Amino acid sequence: VLDSQYGMYVWPCAVVLAQYLWAHRRSLPGQRVLEIGAGVSLPGVVAARCGAQVILSDSEELPRCLQSCRSSCLMNRLPHVPVLGLTWGRVSPELLSLAPIDIILGSDVFFDPKDFEDILTTIYFLLEKNPHAQFWTTYQVRSADWSIEALLYKWKLKSTHVPLHSFGADKEHLAGSSLPGRHTIEMMIISLAQSEGT
């Protein structure tokens, strides 16, 4: 799939992350949620429909993806959900002026290794501003050689694996969709590593 088109599809990871949000829907009302790399925004839309205060974002360099976010909001009767252009690894006025957040969402953002550090730089910046926030992310296992472990250590972040069976996402079909199919999808929650002395 061409990079410029990547955010124009619902990918299996988005369905799995949306399932996690649905499984935790009772904890979402009032939570401040930011979805990064949102594309068609399935997880963010589910969070908003469950009562979270959601901001959707995708790269400021991909206007079609930002328009896709807006269209998803309109189709789901969520016209007031803000859509921001945030580019991973770039400190922009939009990033600096973000309101406090509790949860960051990202489905299948770890698909190109050249972007991994930019993503984690942005996540670290957001978690430093919001130390109790968490990054909920799903990813497709595409190569045994791809790892973010060293980058997590470098950026003083930790990850917790979330078994798919713990929220009913270990099936080929989710929510009437066959999208997860036979793909190997994993989920983790990334947060700030505990600093020494705390």
Side-chain angles (χ1 to χ4, degrees), residues 177-191:
S177 166
S178 61
L179 268 178
R182 300 191 184 281
H183 304 281
T184 303
I185 309 292
E186 299 286 346
M187 177 166 179
M188 64 182 159
I189 294 176
I190 295 176
S191 56

Side-chain angles (χ1 to χ4, degrees), residues 20-43:
Y20 186 79
L21 289 157
W22 181 249
H24 292 85
R25 63 190 175 276
R26 287 179 183 82
S27 68
L28 290 175
Q31 292 290 305
R32 299 162 301 187
V33 174
L34 168 69
E35 184 175 5
I36 65 166
V40 295
S41 316
L42 177 63

Side-chain angles (χ1 to χ4, degrees), residues 153 156 193-198:
Y153 181 80
K156 300 179 179 67
Q194 293 293 334
S195 58
E196 293 180 24
T198 60

Side-chain angles (χ1 to χ4, degrees), residues 21-96:
L21 289 157
W22 181 249
H24 292 85
R25 63 190 175 276
R26 287 179 183 82
S27 68
L28 290 175
Q31 292 290 305
R32 299 162 301 187
V33 174
L34 168 69
E35 184 175 5
I36 65 166
V40 295
S41 316
L42 177 63
V45 164
V46 170
R49 299 289 295 173
C50 289
Q53 301 168 27
V54 174
I55 298 171
L56 299 174
S57 73
D58 212 314
S59 173
E60 59 195 329
E61 298 165 0
L62 298 174
R64 287 182 64 200
C65 289
L66 293 170
Q67 186 55 47
S68 179
C69 292
R70 292 183 189 98
S71 296
S72 291
C73 290
L74 292 175
M75 284 187 281
N76 287 281
R77 296 183 300 282
L78 298 166
H80 304 297
V81 170
V83 175
L84 297 180
L86 296 178
T87 301
W88 302 328
R90 185 179 300 162
V91 178
S92 63
E94 291 79 10
L95 184 66
L96 291 170

